[in-house]
Amino acid sequence: MANISIDPRYHRLARFHRIQNAGVKKLNDATVVILGCGALGAQHAETLARSGIGHLILIDRDFVELTNLQRQTLFTEEDAELALPKVIALKNHLVEINSSIKVTAHIADVSGDNIVNLIKGADLLLDGTDNLALRILINDACYQLNMPWIFGSALESYGMSHNFNFPHLSELPCLRCILGAIPLESGDTCSSVGVIQPILQLISSVQTAEAMKFFVDAESSRDTLFTMDLWASRSQNVNLSKLKNPNCPTCGDHPTYPSLQEKKREAQRLCGDGSVMIREAKPLDLNKLQQRLEQKNMKHQFNEYFLNIHLDHHRVILFKDGRGIVYGVNDTYVAMEVYQELLTILSVR
Ligand SMILES: [Zn+2]
């Protein structure tokens, strides 16, 4: 076999007999999407950038906040102070870690109408999200595109991971097949029950190791659901093959990919304390809005990605794509009113 030369930075990677120079080359040629760039996603991105995945596509809708820093590696106090979008902050740090790879950042709120366009062309998707609805959407999009994806989730000290849609594991169920049979979501969210960073690192390690195996030696990929509770010191490997549903609308014989047909919800309560996300199709001219805020002497901060506006009882963040986050409210209707009223005051509609 011809000797393949590699970048010296991957020396230790290539020394591992399962990878070698040929494996490094396969990683360098790979494109991976990381959907969700919070605790799990940021960790995935760092590991894969250091491992020389040639092209990383980062997708997330949030910006860095101080409360993220306990568990979301790579982000800094400065990122939080500047309230940078997570994908931008992450890209800035990844380029410093490995300038030889390509990093594409999408500030986007993923839904049925944009997910396929955002992820298509990649070889593999890594789950970095924090909710089941988004994972079901990922599942539908990946099966439609014939793209393998690696699920991962963690809460408190417990986490799990599974490989879905791997070509040589086609007898295994998809995420939709196992809904109801496995407690994939407790109804709690990260902000209500909390999470320790080690379980996030462990689950991310499982996901990124499976990603490397997929590119270098797919036959050795794990074919079971991995679960681990670090506090109770318990782990399990669960065989899910009996849960495959031949009539599944995602992985069955006549797929319809139901979540790709769903329309965006207009408003949605977020994983956090008293905040609601408003989705609007119409983009906003933030520069113009900022001028109006200046004229009206309304308290605000502005960076090139969003406007942070302080009202008497609420704080509202407006994004270029028309999205808004209203803080200090739990009711989606009240949040819609605050959003609409603000845009009326600023006379943009
Ligand atoms: Zn299925």
Side-chain angles (χ1 to χ4, degrees):
M1 203 174 103
N3 195 21
I4 304 166
S5 63
I6 55 156
D7 186 327
R9 77 174 75 216
Y10 305 124
H11 177 255
R12 294 292 199 287
L13 196 57
R15 287 293 291 272
F16 178 39
H17 72 282
R18 298 259 195 191
I19 295 182
Q20 306 190 35
N21 285 19
V24 171
K25 181 76 177 57
K26 286 176 185 165
L27 297 177
N28 292 164
D29 289 342
T31 297
V32 175
V33 183
I34 298 174
L35 205 162
C37 293
L40 285 171
Q43 185 80 52
H44 301 338
E46 179 178 357
T47 305
L48 296 185
R50 291 188 192 277
S51 306
I53 294 290
H55 185 190
L56 289 175
I57 300 171
L58 312 173
I59 308 171
D60 194 285
R61 68 183 184 189
D62 288 331
F63 50 89
V64 183
E65 295 177 274
L66 195 63
T67 55
N68 300 152
L69 302 185
Q70 164 258 348
R71 64 199 179 283
Q72 306 192 7
T73 55
L74 283 193
F75 298 136
T76 63
E77 288 184 356
E78 192 184 358
D79 295 332
E81 227 160 81
L82 296 172
L84 286 179
K86 286 182 180 174
V87 291
I88 301 295
L90 207 47
K91 185 178 174 177
N92 293 343
H93 298 305
L94 294 177
V95 168
E96 288 178 349
I97 289 169
N98 189 346
S99 58
S100 75
I101 62 165
K102 182 177 168 191
V103 181
T104 304
H106 294 297
I107 307 167
D109 182 30
V110 172
S111 61
D113 36 24
N114 67 3
I115 185 167
V116 167
N117 272 328
L118 284 167
I119 70 172
K120 71 179 176 196
D123 304 306
L124 178 72
L125 183 146
L126 255 65
D127 173 19
T129 66
D130 61 3
N131 69 83
L132 188 57
L134 211 44
R135 293 184 179 115
I136 293 169
L137 185 63
I138 289 173
N139 188 60
D140 273 358
C142 283
Y143 273 80
Q144 192 190 62
L145 289 167
N146 207 13
M147 186 186 297
W149 73 282
I150 304 175
F151 158 78
S153 78
L155 215 52
E156 299 185 317
S157 61
Y158 177 79
M160 57 181 133
S161 177
H162 194 273
N163 297 332
F164 287 109
N165 203 24
F166 276 36
H168 67 291
L169 301 174
S170 58
E171 76 284 2
L172 292 181
C174 78
L175 181 71
R176 192 182 289 279
C177 291
I178 66 177
L179 291 178
I182 307 281
L184 292 163
E185 196 169 63
S186 64
D188 293 319
T189 62
C190 52
S191 62
S192 59
V193 299
V195 62
I196 57 169
Q197 206 223 356
I199 190 63
L200 293 157
Q201 283 182 315
L202 188 141
I203 293 301
S204 174
S205 296
V206 170
Q207 289 177 272
T208 48
E210 289 302 319
M212 292 165 79
K213 284 155 72 174
F214 170 76
F215 290 113
V216 175
D217 174 22
E219 296 295 315
S220 59
S221 305
R222 197 168 32 74
D223 57 4
T224 51
L225 174 77
F226 169 82
T227 74
M228 175 96 204
D229 188 329
L230 279 177
W231 218 264
S233 308
R234 263 201 310 266
S235 80
Q236 271 187 302
N237 280 300
V238 187
N239 187 323
L240 300 180
S241 53
K242 286 204 173 75
L243 297 175
K244 175 91 174 174
N245 170 14
N247 300 316
C248 173
T250 302
C251 71
D253 296 334
H254 304 287
T256 54
Y257 312 110
S259 7
L260 297 180
Q261 321 303 331
E262 281 168 21
K263 289 243 178 295
K264 281 184 186 183
R265 278 177 297 170
E266 280 197 320
Q268 178 199 1
R269 281 178 60 186
L270 295 176
C271 170
D273 301 319
S275 57
V276 171
M277 159 92 70
I278 312 285
R279 294 187 168 101
E280 282 278 311
K282 277 189 213 149
L284 296 170
D285 183 339
L286 296 188
N287 288 303
K288 203 180 263 176
L289 284 172
Q290 201 236 348
Q291 287 167 14
R292 298 262 165 78
L293 287 162
E294 294 275 355
Q295 287 162 6
K296 291 181 182 288
N297 215 6
M298 290 168 73
K299 193 180 166 198
H300 68 280
Q301 284 111 24
F302 180 48
N303 67 27
E304 61 181 302
Y305 307 106
F306 61 81
L307 263 173
N308 183 7
I309 304 161
H310 299 262
L311 304 173
D312 287 342
H313 303 288
H314 305 284
R315 187 162 66 87
V316 181
I317 291 185
L318 298 177
F319 296 84
K320 270 187 213 165
D321 62 4
R323 276 182 303 136
I325 301 177
V326 182
Y327 292 86
V329 44
N330 275 310
D331 186 315
T332 52
Y333 293 100
V334 175
M336 278 300 268
E337 269 176 29
V338 172
Y339 177 91
Q340 301 292 359
E341 206 180 299
L342 176 64
L343 293 189
T344 308
I345 293 170
L346 299 173
S347 9
V348 289
R349 56 186 58 178

